[in-house]
Amino acid sequence: MLPNHEAPAGLDANLSSFVLDYVARQKSGGTHLKFFTAYQLPVIPPGGLDQECPFNSRMVLSDWVAIRVIELTYNAWDMKPFAVDLGDSGKPYVWDVDRRFMIRCELDAAFFHLYGTERWEVAHIMDTFPVVKERDLKAHGSYRTKETILEIYDAMAKATETGEPYKTVLNPPPGEGPRHPARD
């Protein structure tokens, strides 16, 4: 039994993070992940996000993560039960590629912090994703994903040091993005 309704969102974000993917690739000898290896992955346990958000002391970490996961996953009406389980009873969010990119980068930067990853380690880990790098270079002329994650990572580190809450660059902030029109 999961300890709170945000736990599935935290697990979803954790399993989708670059940092966990990196660790999984270090433990895997090929293209398949064996069950015994999956059991060894450093997944943050249920309840592990039920703490004050280190870069926004006004929020619990599980809520900060859940808001972002809801906006990333609730883009169609068939996802409404999942959204309701996470506390969102509104209409689905509009699929916005740029917003989704920034939200994913915020989640990745947050998980790098949660794993205690140093900035130079974040840069190294991101360099081990050549397909992401190649696609970014082709589409944007730079390794945009790495650069954005590092910028957000730095902003979160500063927020943690100063006690000033991390402020997203998204306007409106995650959880308040545009929604689909009502159904007929």
Side-chain angles (χ1 to χ4, degrees):
M1 180 156 175
L2 297 171
N4 62 43
H5 68 281
E6 288 94 0
L11 181 61
D12 180 31
N14 193 180
L15 293 175
S16 301
S17 68
F18 277 114
V19 67
L20 191 72
D21 186 301
Y22 173 79
V23 173
R25 287 184 293 124
Q26 300 310 302
K27 292 186 149 294
S28 176
T31 58
H32 296 81
L33 189 63
K34 307 271 188 220
F35 280 111
F36 70 88
T37 305
Y39 289 127
Q40 297 173 10
L41 294 178
V43 176
I44 295 173
L49 299 179
D50 293 339
Q51 59 178 302
E52 181 180 284
C53 185
F55 37 85
N56 186 346
S57 61
R58 298 178 187 157
M59 293 189 82
V60 174
L61 190 54
S62 59
D63 292 337
W64 189 92
V65 170
I67 288 166
R68 285 157 176 79
V69 171
I70 292 168
E71 189 164 338
L72 288 173
T73 58
Y74 186 31
N75 302 111
W77 287 102
D78 58 345
M79 292 299 293
K80 186 168 180 96
F82 181 70
V84 169
D85 285 347
L86 296 177
D88 187 324
S89 58
K91 298 173 280 186
Y93 289 92
V94 171
W95 186 282
D96 181 327
V97 173
D98 295 328
R99 276 186 71 81
R100 293 175 59 77
F101 171 76
M102 290 305 295
I103 291 170
R104 287 192 327 267
C105 287
E106 285 186 340
L107 285 167
D108 276 307
F111 276 94
F112 277 122
H113 276 287
L114 293 174
Y115 278 89
T117 312
E118 298 291 332
R119 188 185 197 285
W120 69 268
E121 293 171 314
V122 175
H124 167 75
I125 289 169
M126 291 307 301
D127 284 337
T128 69
F129 290 89
V131 174
V132 176
K133 181 177 183 177
E134 182 180 316
R135 287 181 183 166
D136 275 2
L137 289 171
K138 185 175 181 180
H140 307 287
S142 68
Y143 193 179
R144 181 179 76 142
T145 303
K146 175 184 172 182
E147 294 163 2
T148 304
I149 289 172
L150 286 171
E151 286 174 18
I152 295 169
Y153 178 93
D154 291 341
M156 288 177 173
K158 184 177 179 183
T160 301
E161 290 172 15
T162 65
E164 287 293 317
Y166 163 75
K167 184 163 174 32
T168 183
V169 297
L170 290 170
N171 186 17
E176 298 176 22
R179 304 242 187 179
H180 284 284
R183 283 176 130 178
D184 294 334

